[in-house]
Amino acid sequence: MDIRSAAGLRVLAVNILGRFLLNSDKNIRYVALTSLLRLVQSDHSAVQRHRPTVVECLRDPDASLCRRALELSLALVNSSNVRAMTQELQSFLESCPHDLRADCASGILLAAERFAPTKRWHIDTILRVLTTAGSDVRDDAVANLTQLIGGAQELHAYSVRRLYSALAQDISQQPLVQVAAWCIGEYGDLLLEGSCEETEPLQVEEEEVLALLERVLQSHMSLPATRGYALTALMKLSTRLRGDNNRIRQVVSIYGSCLDVELQQRAVEYNTLFRKYDHMRAAVLEKMPLVERGGSQVDEEAKESKEVPRLLEAAPIPTEPEASKLLDLLDLLDGTSGDVQQHPPPDPSPEGTLIHLLDLPCAPSAPAPIPNLKVFEREGLQLILSFVRPTGTPALLLITVTATNISEGDVTHFICQAAVPKSFQLQLQAPSGDTVPAQGGLPVTQLLRILNPNKAPLRLKLRLTYNHFGHLVQEIFEVNNLPEETWQ
């Protein structure tokens, strides 16, 4: 697989591996799945012919085989088979082992975002995943779905009816409850209007909607964040429903003495809005404006995440030892001003010297330092980029994203996503964590590997999603002032 060969021979090898999948020996099937997973990037069409056999391996009782078959099935999803493959994966999600549910759910959501044929299909797919495995989805699933629904104006009535029906049946899946509460609060007036052509007739009364949100507030399964969504939805319904608001005011006033500080603060603010600023309530609680999803950037990011592994595997990228990573993290703690110094690499080991003698790719010498760049600062949260260009691969740029927090409250559920133009190749490594501790605690770092074969000026688009002081924050911005040393 790592040796150059004729395309016909590779196709022959793929077909032989496909026959291995029918073998009764589990070890042979596992080796075949692993080999096909390595070949799927270079010979996607050849591996695609064995998709039914790969999907059949998802039903194998062996956990290792099942996991490898899931990875290969997700890699085989493309625009032509996304409907069929998503249906197979959703069926697998309903009965898969618990330790695979998170990977399967995340894979389905990513495939839907990359290859969704229509917005309605995209929304239906996410809703089914949230209904089946809502507690196992990624933290950004709620924000992504609300953004998707908000940007699809023609599907507002359809979405709010689907979500209301799902919420009425099950209030245990917290991400689903949060999205449903947000959607009911935004588009509750559409829920009470006449039937929607795209859904079954649904007659809903105002009292039923309020009773459902109260049920969410009172449920012992509801998280504080979920209760916050429900409380805000009730408040927004006070401007969208035509009936009396006394019931809503009573519920809001109850939470003015809630033990949860965030809920108490919201309830006090909403009570004040009722008492002192009732004339402004309709304007303050009007519908959120349409959100531009920036689909081209999302598509670029998804395409790059699929294509870049093989390109980067072909380049001699030195791997940092664990000790070096630890030293880098400790070095980041020396200061919180934003000017983080890159720790020099350790001396070559005897193994490295042996590699030199054998004339094989080896760890290059330390390149000239590139100045760090602060790209984001808000309420104590800072984002700093540091750069390294390995000497052996001048087209490769390693960017370390460092998030520090000097505020009084922790930043939780922190997610950093990136996108670059199509002429670049981007690979996002897993972050060191998703919580940035307050008061200058241990920072969160994430590595970006960018391949720039044309040495074009680099433009980077970042999307940050996190919770800070009880509020969900999402920031999307471009970084156009990268140092020239990063691409020249």
Side-chain angles (χ1 to χ4, degrees):
M1 286 177 287
D2 295 327
I3 301 175
R4 293 183 181 179
S5 59
L9 292 177
R10 289 199 302 271
V11 172
L12 179 61
V14 169
N15 292 336
I16 294 174
L17 290 173
R19 289 199 294 271
F20 283 175
L21 295 177
L22 302 174
N23 196 288
S24 59
D25 191 306
K26 294 181 179 180
N27 293 326
I28 293 178
R29 295 207 303 275
Y30 182 84
V31 171
L33 288 170
T34 304
S35 302
L36 289 173
L37 186 60
R38 296 183 63 183
L39 283 168
V40 71
Q41 299 296 336
S42 57
D43 294 277
H44 191 273
S45 59
V47 180
Q48 192 73 239
R49 298 190 188 101
H50 303 279
R51 177 164 52 89
T53 311
V54 174
V55 171
E56 189 65 28
C57 292
L58 289 172
R59 302 177 177 88
D60 197 286
D62 186 271
S64 299
L65 274 174
C66 202
R67 180 178 292 277
R68 192 63 76 200
L70 174 61
E71 294 172 355
L72 183 54
S73 298
L74 291 172
L76 289 175
V77 179
N78 57 29
S79 57
S80 61
N81 63 20
V82 62
R83 292 180 182 269
M85 284 297 293
T86 301
Q87 187 173 1
E88 293 285 355
L89 291 169
Q90 287 175 336
S91 299
F92 171 72
L93 180 62
E94 295 174 356
S95 59
C96 72
H98 183 74
D99 58 338
L100 292 180
R101 289 172 69 87
D103 293 336
C104 184
S106 298
I108 294 174
L109 294 181
L110 179 59
E113 185 173 6
R114 293 166 61 184
F115 304 116
T118 63
K119 287 185 178 181
R120 175 177 170 176
W121 181 90
H122 193 181
I123 293 173
D124 288 341
T125 301
I126 298 178
L127 287 183
R128 184 173 175 183
V129 172
L130 292 181
T131 304
T132 306
S135 59
D136 297 302
V137 299
R138 289 172 43 177
D139 295 332
D140 60 344
V142 174
N144 289 342
L145 181 53
T146 55
Q147 190 178 29
L148 175 64
I149 294 174
Q153 187 174 11
E154 69 280 4
L155 295 175
H156 286 172
Y158 172 78
S159 300
V160 71
R161 289 173 179 272
R162 283 291 313 276
L163 283 165
Y164 176 83
S165 300
L167 183 61
Q169 295 177 5
D170 182 14
I171 63 170
S172 63
Q173 303 287 358
Q174 295 303 291
L176 174 66
V177 177
Q178 292 173 9
V179 176
W182 176 87
C183 199
I184 291 173
E186 290 295 321
Y187 314 117
D189 52 333
L190 301 177
L191 180 62
L192 301 174
E193 290 180 356
S195 61
C196 177
E197 296 180 357
E198 298 175 326
T199 62
E200 297 179 359
L202 180 65
Q203 297 297 328
V204 181
E205 300 295 334
E206 294 183 4
E207 295 299 321
E208 295 176 349
V209 178
L210 298 180
L212 182 58
L213 291 175
E214 288 181 24
R215 183 177 154 208
V216 171
L217 285 169
Q218 297 167 3
S219 173
H220 68 279
M221 295 180 290
S222 296
L223 299 173
T226 305
R227 290 192 173 96
Y229 275 96
L231 194 64
T232 302
L234 280 172
M235 193 64 187
K236 289 204 168 189
L237 287 177
S238 69
T239 64
R240 288 153 176 71
L241 303 183
R242 294 181 291 272
D244 191 5
N245 290 327
N246 287 333
R247 182 173 179 177
I248 297 177
R249 298 184 66 165
Q250 291 175 1
V251 174
V252 172
S253 63
I254 291 174
Y255 284 88
S257 56
C258 179
L259 294 178
D260 185 271
V261 177
E262 169 64 21
L263 281 176
Q264 182 186 105
Q265 180 179 347
R266 288 195 187 191
V268 170
E269 292 171 350
Y270 294 158
N271 278 322
T272 304
L273 196 59
F274 269 124
R275 292 196 314 268
K276 297 184 178 180
Y277 305 100
D278 197 58
H279 61 286
M280 300 172 55
R281 181 161 49 87
V284 172
L285 300 174
E286 63 183 5
K287 293 181 180 179
M288 295 288 290
L290 295 181
V291 179
E292 296 182 2
R293 279 184 56 80
S296 59
Q297 287 80 4
V298 174
D299 292 340
E300 289 174 14
E301 175 187 345
K303 183 178 179 182
E304 290 150 1
S305 64
K306 174 182 176 183
E307 295 178 350
V308 73
R310 182 171 178 268
L311 294 172
L312 293 179
E313 286 176 4
I317 303 172
T319 58
E320 294 181 304
E322 293 299 325
S324 175
K325 295 180 180 178
L326 179 59
L327 289 173
D328 286 345
L329 290 175
L330 294 175
D331 192 34
L332 292 174
L333 294 175
D334 291 340
T336 57
S337 61
D339 299 325
V340 183
Q341 299 297 325
Q342 186 71 25
H343 191 84
D347 294 332
S349 61
E351 291 80 1
T353 305
L354 179 60
I355 291 176
H356 276 287
L357 293 175
L358 294 176
D359 197 26
L360 293 175
C362 59
S365 58
I370 302 176
N372 298 332
L373 180 64
K374 182 190 294 185
V375 296
F376 178 81
E377 185 172 9
R378 174 175 173 174
E379 297 179 346
L381 178 64
Q382 296 181 354
L383 211 67
I384 300 169
L385 305 184
S386 55
F387 312 93
V388 173
R389 294 183 66 183
T391 304
T393 51
L396 178 66
L397 175 66
L398 305 180
I399 301 180
T400 301
V401 181
T402 304
T404 58
N405 179 16
I406 59 175
S407 69
E408 297 296 326
D410 291 346
V411 173
T412 59
H413 302 91
F414 178 81
I415 298 174
C416 177
Q417 297 172 300
V420 294
K422 293 182 178 180
S423 59
F424 298 82
Q425 302 295 336
L426 169 66
Q427 184 182 40
L428 283 171
Q429 299 292 325
S432 61
D434 63 352
T435 299
V436 189
Q439 300 179 349
L442 187 68
V444 171
T445 60
Q446 186 172 9
L447 180 64
L448 281 62
R449 296 184 174 188
I450 299 178
L451 204 60
N452 182 9
N454 301 324
K455 294 187 176 181
L458 177 59
R459 293 185 297 110
L460 190 65
K461 189 163 189 175
L462 297 177
R463 179 169 69 182
L464 305 180
T465 306
Y466 58 91
N467 282 312
H468 199 194
F469 297 116
H471 297 285
L472 178 63
V473 181
Q474 187 170 32
E475 294 282 348
I476 300 177
F477 56 92
E478 288 193 10
V479 182
N480 297 319
N481 57 338
L482 294 171
E484 293 184 355
E485 295 89 341
T486 60
W487 51 271
Q488 284 187 345

